Amino acid sequence: MCKGLAALPHSCLERAKEIKIKLGTLLQKPDSAVDLVIPYNEKPEKPAKTQRPSLEEALQWRDSLDKLLQNSYGLASFKSFLKSEFSEENLEFWIACEDYKKTKSPAKMAEKAKKIYDEFIQTEAPKEVGSEVNIDHFTKDITVRNLVEPSLNSFDMAQKRVHALMEKDSLPRFLRSACYQELVK
């Protein structure tokens, strides 16, 4: 044991071991192939509204990312724009968190939490939101600790950081895009 750990109280070491065991359990690979085919969404996504927003609605997006995200046409346009820039992972993480918050069953909550962690937060995740660019190490550590016992608020801090980043960076680029400019002509 290194000298640094020896100096810690026994209760701290025991608590750290408990957390490690709980995280290990949460992050285990599924035992059977059946676990791999469980769909992520409880309900199929509703198709995006095909009707273009009014000029007034589209202009409101300049003032609020939330208004854009609440409008199905705006959300689809924003997602399409981000995909064209190969930067849709933050929006996909935000959408996954919104879906997660609607989960009622603790079992499904743990399942979805693991999926979100695997896809977006873990180091070398396929759609890594957890890189330093998008959420800082402090936020990532808090989120991982929250996943020991998943709750509806487990991803709140990370989701707020990603939302702020999209508001500060992605939204202004979208508002300057030809796609958005065409809507507000």
Side-chain angles (χ1 to χ4, degrees):
M1 186 181 296
C2 71
K3 291 180 183 179
L5 290 178
L8 289 174
H10 182 71
S11 61
C12 290
L13 293 173
E14 289 302 313
R15 182 68 180 135
K17 286 179 187 176
E18 288 174 22
I19 291 172
K20 181 180 176 185
I21 290 168
K22 286 181 179 179
L23 274 175
T25 303
L26 178 66
L27 300 175
Q28 280 181 5
K29 299 256 186 248
D31 292 332
S32 68
V34 174
D35 292 337
L36 295 173
V37 293
I38 297 172
Y40 178 77
N41 292 327
E42 292 174 338
K43 301 174 190 167
E45 283 186 38
K46 295 176 186 170
K49 182 170 72 171
T50 55
Q51 184 178 348
R52 285 174 57 116
S54 68
L55 176 60
E56 183 180 310
E57 283 177 303
L59 288 172
Q60 289 177 353
W61 302 347
R62 292 178 176 173
D63 302 324
S64 168
L65 176 61
D66 291 324
K67 288 195 188 283
L68 170 68
L69 297 174
Q70 291 166 2
N71 181 290
S72 57
Y73 191 96
L75 178 61
S77 298
F78 189 49
K79 188 172 188 175
S80 175
F81 167 75
L82 292 175
K83 278 187 180 188
S84 75
E85 292 198 335
F86 303 99
S87 61
E88 74 273 14
E89 67 280 350
N90 286 338
L91 180 60
E92 289 179 357
F93 172 74
W94 185 88
I95 291 169
C97 290
E98 288 298 296
D99 178 61
Y100 174 81
K101 289 179 192 177
K102 297 173 188 168
T103 307
K104 305 266 189 279
S105 158
K108 286 196 184 216
M109 192 178 297
E111 181 183 305
K112 285 184 178 185
K114 181 184 180 330
K115 183 169 177 70
I116 291 170
Y117 175 84
D118 289 346
E119 282 188 29
F120 298 103
I121 295 178
Q122 79 172 350
T123 305
E124 299 174 18
K127 298 173 183 169
E128 189 176 344
V129 174
S131 68
E132 287 182 53
V133 174
N134 296 315
I135 62 172
D136 55 81
H137 288 290
F138 176 75
T139 303
K140 185 176 182 177
D141 290 346
I142 296 284
T143 303
V144 169
R145 274 190 248 141
N146 288 345
L147 294 178
V148 172
E149 293 180 30
S151 73
L152 292 178
N153 303 322
S154 293
F155 294 101
D156 281 359
M157 180 183 264
Q159 187 182 18
K160 285 176 185 167
R161 300 283 171 132
V162 166
H163 184 280
L165 181 65
M166 288 192 302
E167 200 163 45
K168 184 178 178 182
D169 181 52
S170 305
L171 180 61
R173 288 196 327 268
F174 172 70
L175 296 175
R176 289 189 301 268
S177 72
C179 172
Y180 178 74
Q181 293 300 317
E182 187 66 30
L183 282 173
V184 294
K185 276 187 177 175

